[in-house]
Amino acid sequence: MFASLSDRLTATFKNLRGKGRLTESDVNATIRDIRLALLDADVALPVVKRFTGSVRERALGAEVSQALNPAQQVVKIVQEELVGILGGQTRTIRFAKQPPTVIMLAGLQGSGKTTFAGKLGKWLKDQGHTPLLVAADLQRPNAVTQLEVVGERAGIPVFAPERGNMGGHDAVLDSGEGTRSFGDPVSVSRLGIEQARARQYDVVIVDTAGRLAVDANLMQQAGDIRAAIAPDEVLFVLDAMIGQAAVETAQAFHEGVAFTGVVLSKLDGDARGGAALSVAELTGEPIMFASTGEKVTDFEVFHPDRMASRILD
Ligand code: GDP
């Protein structure tokens, strides 16, 4: 991902190297190249405009004209502005003061939510947490089983509906629960959290249903779950391969479930990816994690500064 954006920007900076002072027309030519490179990579237009406006203003100002190496200074400005677009600081999970910390996952079907649930669970477990996965995706018949497979691979228990148990692990739902409804995602999410509290799991990851496209029912359901369980984090899982649709999808989910962070999935793909890079700036929510493959270990905490360096190297 971002290989062609990275090549384009590097080539642009190559043209600047070796120049002593930079004229206004050097700066303008550079900004034009950066603008085209970003647009070709699918970065959203308002983001491109803000970015290039800011780079231009700084590149024509004193910090460049008085620099010992003006070209290098421009590269530094672009790097800093890119870090800004990507959210600035690294941010990971905010844990609740009173466990369990509840993390809800939302996103389109196929975005990589279930896969990510396993990755996040394993990452938390490796840090000494005791996560529980809750299967609240009751739209697709396969979704619960799929989460159980993911849980098993990651060595993390799964609270599943219908069966009312924890997917092959030791814990079985307490007797007396039989009269409760397991059939709707809100009840399943609530029961999962109750179970976590009772059995002292300190993080609950709730996997919710997705649809192939944003629709009102999906949003309503996700919104209802959010209202019922008051999660500490709502992570929106975004397939970076979906191109320009990423922006619209992210905005719809931001309105619908007020997510608190973004997970970019499928960053191992070769799509242009710029739309996904626009999401933090457009929604004001940080990109927190990246998913980079199908294996449970293909997972990274998203560091805006490292990603910017990777793109500009
Ligand atoms: P969900 O419907 O949102 O729960 O999506 P899934 O977790 O089922 O993922 C959909 C498909 O994408 C599956 O085939 C996953 O193996 C695949 N997938 C998920 N995350 C990644 C990733 O980071 N990289 C790649 N290459 N494939 C992924």
Side-chain angles (χ1 to χ4, degrees), residues 1 15 74 87 126 156:
M1 188 85 41
N15 292 337
V74 170
D126 289 347
I156 296 164

Side-chain angles (χ1 to χ4, degrees), residues 233-309:
E233 298 277 11
V234 180
L235 302 185
F236 166 60
V237 181
L238 177 65
D239 178 346
M241 303 279 284
I242 67 173
Q244 297 191 5
V247 167
E248 221 177 286
T249 309
Q251 282 169 331
F253 272 89
H254 195 235
E255 258 172 47
V257 294
F259 59 77
T260 59
V262 180
V263 177
L264 291 185
S265 75
K266 310 193 192 178
L267 274 193
D268 50 312
D270 58 3
R272 292 173 285 192
L277 293 187
S278 317
V279 159
E281 164 113 356
L282 291 176
T283 63
E285 307 302 341
I287 303 170
M288 288 166 58
F289 300 102
S291 236
T292 54
E294 304 199 30
K295 289 198 304 289
V296 76
T297 47
D298 294 333
F299 170 93
E300 289 171 23
V301 171
F302 189 89
H303 298 288
D305 54 346
R306 288 190 212 162
M307 180 53 84
S309 305

Side-chain angles (χ1 to χ4, degrees), residues 83-98:
V83 173
I85 280 188
L86 296 174
Q89 301 283 330
T90 303
R91 177 154 101 66
T92 63
I93 301 295
R94 278 182 303 226
F95 291 97
K97 288 202 185 81
Q98 281 288 8

